[in-house]
Amino acid sequence: MAKVELRNVYKSYGTTEIIHGVSMDIADGEFVVMVGPSGCGKSTLLRMIAGLEEISGGDIAIDGRVVNNLEPKDRDIAMVFQQYALYPHMSVHDNMAYGLKIRGLPKAEIETRVQRAAEILELSKLLGRRPRELSGGQRQRVAMGRAIVREPKVFLFDEPLSNLDAKLRVQMRAELQALHKRLGTTTVFVTHDQVEAMTLAQRMMVMNAGHAEQIGAPLEVYGRPASTFVAGFIGSPPMNLIPGTLAEGGAVLLADAGARVGLPAALPKFDGRKLLLGVRPEHLEPCDEAAALLVPDVDFIELLGSDVLVYGHLGADRKGARVAARLHGSMAASDGHLALRFTPKHMHLFDAETGKRIEIE
Amino acid sequence: MVEHRPLLKFVSHAVLILGAIIVAFPLYVTFVASTLSLEEILTVPMPLLPGNRFFENYAQVLTAGTTTGSHAAVGSMLFNSMVMALVVPLGKISISIISAFAIVYFRFPMRNFFFWMIFVTLMLPVEVRIIPTFKVIADLGLLNTYAGLTLPLIASATATFLFRQFFMTIPDELAEAARMDGAGPMRFFFDVVLPLSKTTMAALFVIQFIYGWNQYLWPLLVTSEESMYTTVIGIKRMIVGSDAANEWNLVMATAVLAMLPPALVVVLMQRWFVKGLVDTEK
């Protein structure tokens, strides 16, 4: 087990820079998830930790040792790939044992380690099979087993669940968490799925276009997104972002298409400032017209059973900002208008130019 | 198609059987001729049922060759052919699999240039480069040697290209996983790439075995001693002068012997072949 440090890591292919200086300290035994849309550089970053990609600038240290120029095999890490990358011509047993055999471990030691890993992952009965005789979930487990037997300092996961069906994904998520609890190995996990990130991470790094937009615990990232990107990426449906100008002593946001959105508490110090008002759909609640802060015109409604998703537009002729609200129960909302309010603690403000969070206090 | 139309079935079978007969008939005549005496062959029409000289004819060609044409025993010719048909494919496979491995998995300067160099030689048929090749082999003193017979045929752009295409279908993640497991390039080659290429190698072996066995022009040039003749050349050397001067029964026996090994290889390797095509282990 070890801590992993990224110090101002850069990556460029030729003249194209794709990772622009990312820093993060991953503590010993921590489960860190890197999350972002495809092409944001999260997999590249993981592969740089693994040693499969060269580091163009900055340092990566594992257990206090800078590993920039070390081969993957000398970094004491194990990686689980998206497509599993099992050796097709070897049995499950041999797949797991291969790395140990190369390392020249004694046969008895290999045997105990493989048996133990097989037990943890419930693969004992499948040891003689070839990968093609296994289901997707079983293959995924073998790939994990291959990582476990190595007893590495760090586990790296590159979107390991994205090839599984939805149900299996939930199950594997739970197994991964149990595994981490049991082994306590430092883990870096890459995914584009924000639900995976929220449920698995002790800390997460939200990446966008080669930058680390925000690093923090899942609830912190959810509760205080550092930028409009994070606000839009984490949470489903994404946070409502309404652009406009604060007016009337900071009590009202004048949005596009003549829409007015009231603020639950006036912010005189930001009066006249252009910004984005953010409220999560689940923090909007229906109320009387009189107490309403915003009144969107309803476009359509999705019934989820426990909840109702209402989508609408602000402003005249539905030309203003889009608004989504997640309402409890079967509030089969009336067509037409929907009066909504929210509390000050659920209000987020972002700078209109930079998209960065504006601290209200 | 699961159509059930008796007439269609009858016609298609008739066509297939007729085709098979047309293809098989010359082979049958060859075999029949190899069991007759020379006099019987020269009668018109030639008998179409096997004669009683099967053992005599085959024993004679295997040990002594013909009396009017070449005197080389076909036994040693078969051995020469076998050497050629084994060394050429084995050499081809080992050399091209290594070059393809280098081209696909290593980033070295001018990698593409070298690949295209190899690829371009595909466009030069043997006949075009046969004189310079002969000169080189002659200067090296390799005429009438096994090396001279096989070496020039070992270099192969086709096989290299085939292996390259196959390697490119092996997922990159597999190479990366092997790197993670601590396997060096050669270890990866022997433990992963080679086992995965088994079926490709088998296919190439069959094709190249037949190619090596049936070589005509090149062995004709580099062999002048009877002891180095291959079977195909042997047949050519047995035929001298006018029609009646040839011992056709012996020539035909040699032809049958020349046909057997390639046929055997195809029949024996066929199961492997099909297996390889059916379950792609990727």
Side-chain angles (χ1 to χ4, degrees):
Chain A
M1 278 182 274
K3 54 185 195 231
V4 177
E5 292 151 84
L6 310 180
R7 296 189 208 116
N8 216 12
V9 173
Y10 282 84
K11 174 74 190 174
S12 37
Y13 290 109
T15 53
T16 328
E17 196 175 274
I18 57 157
I19 290 180
H20 319 280
V22 171
S23 298
M24 182 178 193
D25 281 346
I26 299 167
D28 188 10
E30 197 173 20
F31 198 120
V32 166
V33 176
M34 294 178 183
V35 64
S38 32
C40 71
K42 56 191 190 299
S43 280
T44 310
L45 195 56
L46 189 80
R47 292 164 58 81
M48 285 159 83
I49 301 175
L52 296 171
E53 298 277 352
E54 271 176 49
I55 299 162
S56 311
D59 285 323
I60 292 178
I62 296 174
D63 208 7
R65 185 172 60 140
V66 174
V67 296
N68 288 22
N69 296 317
L70 285 186
E71 271 289 298
K73 65 181 165 76
D74 302 320
R75 297 188 179 195
D76 206 356
I77 45 169
M79 184 156 168
V80 176
F81 295 87
Q82 183 175 358
Q83 314 283 350
Y84 321 133
L86 301 177
Y87 307 117
H89 57 292
M90 295 186 196
S91 66
V92 168
H93 175 280
D94 291 350
N95 259 289
M96 295 205 272
Y98 184 60
L100 303 179
K101 225 157 66 185
I102 289 180
R103 251 148 250 253
L105 258 66
K107 267 215 168 91
E109 169 78 13
I110 296 179
E111 234 19 70
T112 29
R113 285 205 199 182
V114 170
Q115 293 299 345
R116 200 168 52 212
E119 229 165 83
I120 295 176
L121 296 164
E122 292 169 29
L123 289 169
S124 303
K125 284 188 187 135
L126 306 174
L127 283 177
R129 295 225 196 146
R130 295 281 180 91
R132 75 188 137 93
E133 298 162 331
L134 302 177
S135 69
Q138 288 167 336
R139 284 182 208 185
Q140 188 58 68
R141 279 210 284 270
V142 177
M144 274 156 63
R146 192 165 61 178
I148 291 174
V149 292
R150 295 255 308 276
E151 297 176 6
K153 286 181 183 154
V154 184
F155 282 136
L156 306 174
F157 289 92
D158 189 2
E159 309 217 14
L161 306 184
S162 48
N163 279 4
L164 304 178
D165 64 51
K167 199 174 158 196
L168 205 53
R169 207 177 303 167
V170 174
Q171 186 194 331
M172 289 303 290
R173 223 152 65 192
E175 283 183 27
L176 263 173
Q177 261 174 328
L179 192 69
H180 179 250
K181 206 172 251 173
R182 176 167 180 165
L183 301 175
T185 309
T186 314
T187 303
V188 185
F189 187 103
V190 160
T191 180
H192 63 268
D193 181 349
Q194 49 113 355
V195 178
E196 249 168 50
M198 291 295 288
T199 49
L200 284 171
Q202 290 175 337
R203 263 193 320 149
M204 61 202 273
M205 174 197 280
V206 183
M207 287 191 70
N208 178 28
H211 292 281
E213 289 271 334
Q214 188 170 8
I215 297 172
L219 285 182
E220 191 184 318
V221 173
Y222 174 82
R224 293 168 53 82
S227 66
T228 49
F229 175 81
V230 178
F233 192 79
I234 300 294
S236 171
M239 184 185 280
N240 297 305
L241 291 168
I242 306 164
T245 311
L246 275 191
E248 299 174 21
V252 168
L253 181 82
L254 298 178
D256 298 343
R260 289 167 58 91
V261 178
L263 265 56
L267 295 168
K269 63 175 168 173
F270 296 129
D271 193 16
R273 184 157 170 185
K274 288 188 73 156
L275 42 71
L276 287 138
L277 171 70
V279 190
R280 292 198 179 275
E282 53 270 39
H283 295 147
L284 287 171
E285 49 183 19
C287 61
D288 299 336
E289 292 264 352
L293 295 173
L294 66 167
V295 188
D297 291 324
V298 175
D299 293 335
F300 60 94
I301 294 168
E302 284 178 355
L303 300 172
L304 301 182
S306 60
D307 293 336
V308 182
L309 286 178
V310 183
Y311 296 91
H313 275 93
L314 290 174
D317 300 330
R318 310 196 165 180
K319 284 191 175 134
R322 279 187 57 129
V323 173
R326 188 185 200 114
L327 308 178
H328 291 298
S330 54
M331 306 245 342
S334 53
D335 267 337
H337 307 307
L338 182 64
L340 294 167
R341 66 177 180 193
F342 52 92
T343 61
K345 97 175 164 181
H346 289 139
M347 179 176 75
H348 309 268
L349 296 180
F350 302 96
D351 189 275
E353 298 290 315
T354 62
K356 295 275 175 257
R357 182 182 185 83
I358 300 170
E359 295 300 340
I360 295 168
E361 298 311 320
Chain B
M1 285 214 292
V2 281
E3 272 180 286
H4 184 69
R5 302 213 325 243
L7 182 70
L8 188 74
K9 223 173 184 178
F10 175 78
V11 171
S12 51
H13 274 81
V15 169
L16 288 174
I17 291 168
L18 196 71
I21 290 174
I22 291 173
V23 172
F25 187 68
L27 295 177
Y28 175 73
V29 171
T30 309
F31 172 73
V32 168
S34 73
T35 63
L36 301 173
S37 67
L38 186 57
E39 294 74 39
E40 284 170 312
I41 291 182
L42 292 176
T43 57
V44 182
M46 189 189 111
L48 279 179
L49 289 174
N52 54 6
R53 303 211 11 124
F54 178 83
F55 291 106
E56 285 104 310
N57 286 349
Y58 282 86
Q60 184 180 352
V61 288
L62 279 175
T63 53
T66 52
T67 45
T68 53
S70 124
H71 302 292
V74 177
S76 74
M77 289 185 201
L78 284 173
F79 176 77
N80 293 343
S81 282
M82 193 54 86
V83 168
M84 194 159 169
L86 285 177
V87 172
V88 169
L90 292 181
K92 258 189 203 227
I93 289 172
S94 17
I95 286 188
S96 32
I97 201 169
I98 293 174
S99 358
F101 184 67
I103 284 168
V104 174
Y105 286 101
F106 291 86
R107 258 172 260 150
F108 52 90
M110 308 224 288
R111 178 168 73 139
N112 265 320
F113 172 76
F114 283 113
F115 171 68
W116 283 108
M117 286 272 284
I118 294 172
F119 195 65
V120 159
T121 62
L122 265 179
M123 289 183 234
L124 302 173
V126 179
E127 290 73 14
V128 171
R129 51 192 157 92
I130 203 146
I131 292 171
T133 313
F134 181 82
K135 169 89 173 118
V136 170
I137 294 296
D139 288 354
L140 289 173
L142 293 177
L143 296 180
N144 287 312
T145 62
Y146 288 122
L149 213 47
T150 54
L151 217 49
L153 297 173
I154 281 178
S156 165
T158 327
T160 310
F161 184 69
L162 261 170
F163 278 121
R164 171 185 180 262
Q165 294 311 97
F166 171 69
F167 290 168
M168 303 223 297
T169 65
I170 298 179
D172 286 347
E173 282 193 345
L174 220 51
E176 287 169 355
R179 249 177 103 187
M180 286 286 178
D181 272 339
M186 287 331 278
R187 189 94 203 223
F188 172 65
F189 177 73
F190 284 113
D191 286 353
V192 180
V193 173
L194 218 51
L196 288 179
S197 315
K198 268 193 290 194
T199 52
T200 312
M201 286 195 285
L204 263 175
F205 178 81
V206 172
I207 296 167
Q208 297 299 338
F209 180 91
I210 295 167
Y211 168 83
W213 185 273
N214 289 342
Q215 274 303 312
Y216 177 69
L217 186 57
W218 181 248
L220 189 66
L221 287 177
V222 286
T223 60
S224 50
E225 289 168 19
E226 287 188 339
S227 66
M228 288 307 295
Y229 285 176
T230 62
T231 321
V232 179
I233 301 306
I235 296 174
K236 156 81 182 108
R237 301 272 192 216
M238 284 176 179
I239 302 169
V240 282
S242 68
D243 194 17
N246 296 320
E247 293 164 293
W248 287 114
N249 51 342
L250 302 183
V251 175
M252 289 304 142
T254 312
V256 169
L257 288 173
M259 277 185 284
L260 276 180
L264 268 178
V265 165
V266 171
V267 169
L268 292 181
M269 300 284 282
Q270 197 181 16
R271 274 182 56 208
W272 245 86
F273 231 40
V274 176
K275 183 171 170 277
L277 293 177
V278 172
D279 50 49
T280 39
E281 285 193 285
K282 264 178 275 170

